[in-house]
Every structure is written in structure tokens, then in C-alpha cells.
Amino acid sequence: MKLLLKVLELKNFKGIKERRIFFDTTETRIYGANGTGKTTIADAFSWLLYDKDSQERKDFEIKPLTEHNEPIHFLNTEVAADFVLNGKTFTLGKLFREKWVKKRGQAEQEFSGHETVYYIDGVPCKKSEYQEYVNEIINEKTFKLLTNPLAFEAMKWQDKRKFLFEVCGNIADNQIEGYEKLQETLAGKSADEYKKSLTATKKKLKSDIENIPPRIDEQTRSLEEGIEPLEVLQAKIDQKEAYKAELEKQLEATDAQFDEIRTKQRQILSLERTREEIKRAHNKSTYEEYSQNKDRLEALKRDLSNHTYEQDSIVKKIEALKEDEVILTSKVADRRNEWMKIAEETFDEHKAICPTCGQDLPSEEVEKLKSKYIDEKAIRQEHVLNEANIIKADLLNTQHNMQNLTTRFEEIACQLVSIQSNINEVEKILEQPIDSTPCDTSEIDAQIDILKKEVQAFATVDNEAIKQAIKMEEINIQNIKLRVAKHDSNTKTLARIKELQEQLKDLQCKLADAEQVEIMIEDFTKAKVEMLEANINSKFKNVSFKLFDQQINGGLVECCESLINGVPFSNANNAAQVQAGIEIINVLSEHYGMNAPIFIDNRESVTDIPVTQSQVIDLIVSAVDKELRIE
């Protein structure tokens, strides 16, 4: 298929007030100085099809501007074009206009936004229908690649690589020499899949290898030096245990003398407890009535305080409810006034006039509006009445609560008088003197004195030195056992070091095996790379593509760099880039079976362009042409 642009018509588009341009089927040249509107033509063509300018921007100003860069209002922006597709002519058009609204009661219109009208062969249509029609001819992504020589190079290298494989075809692994031998290692996976898995395996192996030497060093540094042989340590433990047993026998001999002393001491404690119980019983009988009156006084004072606090709280609540009463009363009055205001409203006769044409509406339509107005007015009054009833209910509830609190306040006042009277009565009782005659415990005191003298008669027995000696021997035995434990720990540590060394050797062997397989895959990949690049580059004359980059370590990483006669695309001059872009467009056009108009900006810098089946539109800077000139 071949898409040709025959006519492009612009009205009030950017800086062009009105222009109709006829295009040649092969090549059309548009001359003009800077700022005369060459790029505007490319922008209009792109906006007509895809709502974007030639730089892929959606948010760009298409309306004419004043000298202060402000949009000029009340102008319609139009772009239309005649196309030929395989001998069939069709027309596309778009109208971009302002929306102005005159609100009731205002003398001037207000700007409320924009709207776009779409046309296919002069017939208005929906935006979705328009976009579907355009995309059936050529989708936006393909259009960009087939009309802009620099569009392909502006893509991400991953997308360029994908396009090249789509256009020129990939190469299956089984077409590469050495594939069958490699498959024995790959176990059914592709080379790329296995390499990804291998990279992860190598990364883990290297990480594990790097982690083992520090662990061996850590184990080596944990070894205890200067530990005696195990049999020597065990002999020392036996010697210490025997001496400790002898000391424990000496301690047992002194315990019998302490038994009789402890018996008499328990008797003394029992008699002292009996004496205290007698004193407590005497004091209880003497002070019990006093204590009861004192407790009663404290209870009465607490009641007095609690009732006083409750009374203060009731006062605050009544004050708050009074404030609520005032507010609710005011709200009821507000709702009453609102209801009366609605009742006084009448139907607005201006609504009986058509806002569009200004003529009187039919009588039946006016009756409908009045009926609707009456219904809405009744609903509003009922709504206000419902709100007033709710507020009245709240007001009655508030007044009821105030009455209950007032009644409770009076009850508490009576209770406070009674409590204060009881307090005065109890305080008079507590002011009377208490009988403080002590009780007689002389018999028990004599028994306690006799027992204390008998305890003091025993010879002082000191067994603390023996206990200290036993503790010291226990500490010595524990220290020796710690050295035994360190001896066992050293044995386990040495075994662990040997185990880590064996693991390190095994991991190093596995890493070497993985690297051998990686080398085999890289050799296979290099062969595939050469075939891929040769296959893709055979489609082009002056353009070639570098699809893989070789790293310092010999490995290959994917890339996609365009070359023009061996020079990187980015380093080439503008002319070479345009020529290469057209060569790429020719290949893509053949693949998609579609030729579309190619816009070449700064065409004056390109002396020759490759032969192409596509229509070419040159944008040429010409200082002498102050207005656009078409050839």
C-alpha cells in the first residue's frame, strides 16, 4: 500500500492564518526563512492524524497567538487533507473551536473550554470512529517510523533490536554450528536461558567462595592456646573433689552443736509471738471502739466530699444544658423563618422563556415547569419542617434533663445536711479520753530471759572458715571444667575448619566447571552473533547494526548501535543521519507493505537522498523566502 498526501489545508493553525498546499506524488519542496511556518506544516499533518505535533507532544499550542503570546479568541482552528491510498481518494478533517456560554443575568459570554469536531470525507463523526479509521490505514507507531528519518534511531536500543529481529528475522539456535554438542550440556534449554541460569549459579558460587575464608579465619582465631592435655585436667578435678569431700565431713561435725541452739531460739521466737498477741488483744479491746468511730468519721467525710463533687458537676451540666436550650430555641426560630421565606416564594416567570431562542415556551411546557416548581417548593418546606421537629425534640429532651438534674441537686443538698450532722456527732465522741492502762506479760518475759541466758551459755562455734574453703574448692573445680570444655571446643573447631576447607575446594571445582560451560556458550553465541549481524546488515546498503558488545573479560552483552559506513550514528553529520534514516524507512516500508509521506527537516543540508518509493516532503531553510514557497 502507498499513502500519498495530495492537499493540506490550514486555517488559523499556529502562525498560519490560511493556506492550501498541493503536494507532488514523488517529492515536494517547501522553502522558507526561519519562523515562516515550515515546521507548522509538519505539525498540522501530525495533529490531523494523531493529536500530536511533529515532536510527539500532545500539549502544544495550535491556536494563533497575539504579540504578547496570548491566544486569539473567537477563531476556529481547522486542518484538512486529501489522501490517496492505492488509488482511492479520501479526506480527513478536524475543527478545533472555543466554547462560550452566556449565563443568566450576565451581559457577556464566558469561555468554558474547547471542543474538537472530526470529519471523514466531509461527514462529522465521533472521535473513536475517526481514530479507528486512521489506525486501520496506519497505526501511530508505524506512522512515526515511516515518516520521520530520525524516529528509528530515537527509540530505546532494546526496541530497535526487537524491530530489527521482527523485520529481518531471527536465527534459530539449531542453525548454529556446534548446537548439538552444546545441547548435551543445556539439557533442553536455549543458550540464553541456560546462560541466565549459569550467571546466577556463578554469582552464588563466587559469593559462597568469598564467604568461606573469613569463616575459616574466624574459626582459627577462636582456638584456645595453652590448653593442658585432657588427662592432666581430669586428675586435677579428682584431687579437688577429694579435698572438698573432707571439708564437708568437718562441716557436718559442727552442725550437731547448732541443732540445740536453733531449738531454743525457736522457743524464744514462739514466746515473743505469744506476748505480742496478748498485747494486740489488749490494745484491740481498748482502741476498737475508738478505731470504729474514726473509720466512721473518715467514711462520712468521703461521702461529704463525693456529694459536694456531684453537686458541683450538676451545676456545670445545668449551665451547659441552658446554653444548648438557647441554641436550640434559636435554631427553631431559624427554621420557622426559613419555612416562611419559602412560603413567600413565587414562580420565576423568566423560566417561561426559552434561554436559546428567547421566545415564550408552550403553555403546556410552562404548566409542567410550574407544577415541578410547586412540588419542589413543598418538598423544601417539608424538609425544613422535619428539621424543626427534630430540633424541637432535642429542645424538649434538654429541658427534661435540666429538670431531672435540678431535682437531684435538691436531693443532694438534703443529704449534705444529714452527713454534716453525723460528722459533728462522731467528732464529739472522739474528743473523749482513752483508757491507756498496759497489760501484764511479766510471766512470759521471765521465760524468755531464761532461754536467752541458756543460748548464751553455749560455746561459740565458728564454721564459716570451713564453708569458705568449700566454696573456694568448688570455684577451682569449675575453672578446671571450663578448661576441659575449651579443650572439647578446640577439637570441634578443628573439625569445622577441615569441613570448610573441603567445602571451599568443592565450590572452586564447581565454579571452574561453570566457567567451562560459559566459555562453550560464549563461543556458540559469538557464532550466532556473526550470523545475526550478517543477516540483518544484508538488508541495508550503507547502514549496519552492532547487536552485541564484547566486554573486557571476553563476555558478550546485548546492544543495538546503528553504524553509517562504520561510523556510529550519533557521530555522523545531519546529512548522513537523514540518508541512513531513509534507508531504514525503505526496509521498514517493505516489511510493513506500506509507504507513507516522509518529512525531511533541514533538507538544505542534505545534497542527495536514497531512492525511495515513499512520497518525500522537504522542509528547506531559505533566507530569501520571507513567505512559504512550494515547488
Side-chain angles (χ1 to χ4, degrees):
M1 292 190 297
K2 185 172 184 179
L3 179 67
L4 295 176
L5 174 62
K6 297 293 292 179
V7 181
L8 182 65
E9 186 173 0
L10 292 77
K11 291 183 179 179
N12 299 316
F13 186 89
K14 296 179 71 173
I16 296 180
K17 184 176 182 181
E18 185 171 4
R19 185 83 188 215
R20 185 177 180 87
I21 302 172
F22 295 88
F23 294 88
D24 188 75
T25 57
T26 55
E27 185 173 9
T28 301
R29 297 191 173 191
I30 301 176
Y31 296 88
N34 291 329
T36 54
K38 298 185 299 300
T39 304
T40 299
I41 295 172
D43 290 341
F45 179 66
S46 180
W47 178 77
L48 175 66
L49 296 178
Y50 302 107
D51 289 326
K52 298 178 181 178
D53 67 2
S54 57
Q55 301 298 319
E56 295 294 307
R57 296 175 302 186
K58 272 197 170 186
D59 297 329
F60 74 105
E61 185 61 68
I62 65 174
K63 296 167 61 177
L65 302 178
T66 66
E67 59 183 6
H68 301 295
N69 288 326
E70 294 292 334
I72 300 175
H73 295 297
F74 302 104
L75 291 180
N76 293 337
T77 297
E78 298 180 55
V79 177
D82 294 341
F83 295 92
V84 176
L85 180 64
N86 293 337
K88 180 182 177 182
T89 301
F90 64 94
T91 303
L92 296 177
K94 285 169 68 174
L95 170 65
F96 184 77
R97 62 190 179 193
E98 297 176 339
K99 295 169 64 178
W100 293 84
V101 177
K102 181 180 179 299
K103 294 184 179 180
R104 183 182 175 190
Q106 292 183 353
E108 297 182 357
Q109 294 180 330
E110 288 186 359
F111 175 67
S112 63
H114 296 90
E115 63 177 351
T116 304
V117 183
Y118 299 84
Y119 298 92
I120 299 176
D121 290 329
V123 179
C125 63
K126 297 180 180 179
K127 179 180 180 180
S128 58
E129 295 173 344
Y130 185 89
Q131 291 176 335
E132 183 179 358
Y133 186 88
V134 173
N135 287 329
E136 284 180 358
I137 299 171
I138 182 170
N139 65 61
E140 183 179 353
K141 189 174 183 180
T142 304
F143 171 82
K144 177 182 175 182
L145 292 172
L146 299 185
T147 60
N148 184 355
L150 303 181
F152 182 82
E153 187 59 28
M155 296 169 61
K156 294 181 180 179
W157 70 266
Q158 295 92 337
D159 295 335
K160 291 196 298 182
R161 184 184 177 91
K162 181 179 178 181
F163 259 97
L164 289 173
F165 287 155
E166 177 186 335
V167 173
C168 302
N170 204 342
I171 295 178
D173 289 347
N174 57 12
Q175 296 178 260
I176 312 300
E177 184 180 355
Y179 172 76
E180 294 181 358
K181 180 179 179 181
L182 183 63
Q183 278 301 299
E184 297 175 2
T185 302
L186 301 184
K189 294 183 179 179
S190 68
D192 291 337
E193 291 173 341
Y194 195 88
K195 190 172 180 181
K196 290 179 181 178
S197 174
L198 193 63
T199 299
T201 301
K202 281 180 58 184
K203 182 178 180 180
K204 187 176 185 309
L205 287 171
K206 289 180 179 179
S207 176
D208 292 343
I209 289 171
E210 290 175 356
N211 289 336
I212 287 180
R215 293 164 65 188
I216 293 175
D217 180 63
E218 181 182 358
Q219 293 290 331
T220 302
R221 285 187 282 107
S222 68
L223 289 171
E224 290 285 343
E225 298 180 356
I227 301 297
E228 300 163 277
L230 189 60
E231 57 271 13
V232 174
L233 294 173
Q234 190 59 52
K236 289 184 177 182
I237 291 174
D238 294 341
Q239 181 183 358
K240 295 290 183 182
E241 290 283 3
Y243 182 55
K244 177 188 171 188
E246 180 64 27
L247 291 172
E248 288 174 344
K249 288 179 181 180
Q250 295 178 21
L251 184 61
E252 288 175 3
T254 62
D255 287 343
Q257 298 178 32
F258 282 102
D259 288 341
E260 187 174 355
I261 295 174
R262 284 194 288 269
T263 299
K264 293 185 179 297
Q265 289 174 336
R266 285 194 292 272
Q267 292 174 353
I268 292 171
L269 290 173
S270 178
L271 289 169
E272 288 176 341
R273 283 196 293 269
T274 301
R275 183 175 61 186
E276 290 300 320
E277 290 174 358
I278 292 171
K279 289 181 178 180
R280 280 197 298 272
H282 173 75
N283 292 335
K284 182 179 180 182
S285 63
T286 302
Y287 293 98
E288 183 173 12
E289 184 179 354
Y290 177 83
S291 297
Q292 289 176 352
N293 286 325
K294 192 172 183 180
D295 291 341
R296 183 186 174 195
L297 178 63
E298 292 297 326
L300 289 169
K301 288 182 176 180
R302 284 195 298 272
D303 287 345
L304 181 67
S305 176
N306 291 337
H307 281 68
T308 302
Y309 175 78
E310 185 180 356
Q311 199 175 45
D312 292 340
S313 177
I314 288 173
V315 170
K316 293 179 180 178
K317 290 180 180 178
I318 290 174
E319 290 176 353
L321 288 172
K322 286 181 178 179
E323 293 178 359
D324 292 343
E325 182 182 23
V326 172
I327 293 172
L328 292 172
T329 302
S330 175
K331 287 184 177 180
V332 169
D334 292 342
R335 296 302 181 277
R336 184 183 300 110
N337 293 335
E338 185 178 353
W339 191 93
M340 294 297 295
K341 183 178 180 182
I342 294 173
E344 293 172 358
E345 292 179 359
T346 59
F347 178 72
D348 186 0
E349 296 298 336
H350 288 89
K351 291 185 178 179
I353 300 173
C354 177
T356 303
C357 64
Q359 296 180 358
D360 292 340
L361 294 173
S363 58
E364 61 272 15
E365 187 68 26
V366 174
E367 288 302 322
K368 288 181 182 179
L369 290 174
K370 289 183 177 180
S371 177
K372 180 180 178 182
Y373 168 77
I374 292 171
D375 291 342
E376 290 177 348
K377 179 178 178 180
I379 291 171
R380 289 166 57 203
Q381 286 181 309
E382 182 179 0
H383 177 71
V384 173
L385 183 60
N386 290 337
E387 285 185 347
N389 289 335
I390 293 172
I391 296 171
K392 287 179 180 179
D394 291 342
L395 179 59
L396 290 174
N397 186 50
T398 300
Q399 293 171 343
H400 178 70
N401 290 338
M402 288 172 59
Q403 181 61 39
N404 290 340
L405 289 172
T406 302
T407 301
R408 177 58 183 160
F409 181 87
E410 293 171 353
E411 291 175 356
I412 293 173
C414 294
Q415 292 172 1
L416 286 173
V417 173
S418 176
I419 293 170
Q420 186 61 51
S421 176
N422 291 334
I423 289 173
N424 296 335
E425 181 181 346
V426 174
E427 286 178 342
K428 289 180 180 180
I429 295 172
L430 290 175
E431 290 175 357
Q432 298 177 5
I434 302 172
D435 182 12
S436 59
T437 303
C439 64
D440 183 14
T441 58
S442 57
E443 185 178 347
I444 293 176
D445 292 340
Q447 293 178 23
I448 291 173
D449 290 339
I450 292 170
L451 288 171
K452 286 184 176 180
K453 289 177 180 179
E454 289 175 354
V455 170
Q456 292 175 356
F458 282 97
T460 303
V461 180
D462 184 12
N463 59 0
E464 287 300 320
I466 299 174
K467 291 181 179 179
Q468 290 297 326
I470 291 173
K471 287 183 180 180
M472 184 60 66
E473 289 306 311
E474 288 175 345
I475 293 172
N476 292 334
I477 292 170
Q478 189 63 34
N479 289 335
I480 297 172
K481 286 183 177 180
L482 285 174
R483 295 206 295 275
V484 171
K486 290 180 179 178
H487 187 280
D488 294 340
S489 177
N490 275 1
T491 302
K492 293 179 181 179
T493 300
L494 290 171
R496 179 58 178 158
I497 290 172
K498 183 178 179 182
E499 180 184 350
L500 289 172
Q501 289 172 339
E502 291 175 353
Q503 288 181 11
L504 179 61
K505 183 177 179 181
D506 180 61
L507 290 171
Q508 289 171 337
C509 292
K510 289 181 179 178
L511 179 60
D513 292 341
E515 289 174 343
Q516 289 296 324
V517 174
E518 187 177 41
I519 291 172
M520 184 188 306
I521 294 175
E522 288 178 354
D523 291 341
F524 174 82
T525 304
K526 288 179 182 178
K528 182 176 180 179
V529 166
E530 293 174 356
M531 292 182 66
L532 277 172
E533 290 184 346
N535 180 51
I536 291 174
N537 292 335
S538 65
K539 305 287 184 180
F540 301 89
K541 180 179 178 181
N542 298 310
V543 181
S544 59
F545 297 92
K546 182 180 179 182
L547 301 178
F548 294 88
D549 191 18
Q550 187 165 5
Q551 297 180 310
I552 297 176
N553 61 3
L556 295 176
V557 293
E558 293 182 351
C559 67
C560 186
E561 183 179 8
S562 305
L563 304 174
I564 304 173
N565 293 323
V567 177
F569 193 97
S570 59
N571 293 342
N573 58 38
N574 180 67
Q577 290 182 352
V578 171
Q579 292 167 344
I582 294 175
E583 189 174 330
I584 293 172
I585 288 176
N586 287 340
V587 174
L588 294 177
S589 296
E590 182 179 355
H591 171 71
Y592 289 115
M594 166 65 76
N595 292 92
I598 302 174
F599 279 81
I600 304 177
D601 200 6
N602 295 319
R603 175 66 172 83
E604 72 281 354
S605 65
V606 186
T607 56
D608 296 304
I609 60 173
V611 176
T612 178
Q613 297 298 317
S614 300
Q615 181 184 23
V616 177
I617 300 172
D618 300 320
L619 305 179
I620 303 171
V621 176
S622 173
V624 297
D625 291 296
K626 303 304 180 181
E627 295 183 359
L628 294 180
R629 175 168 57 91
I630 314 297
E631 289 185 359

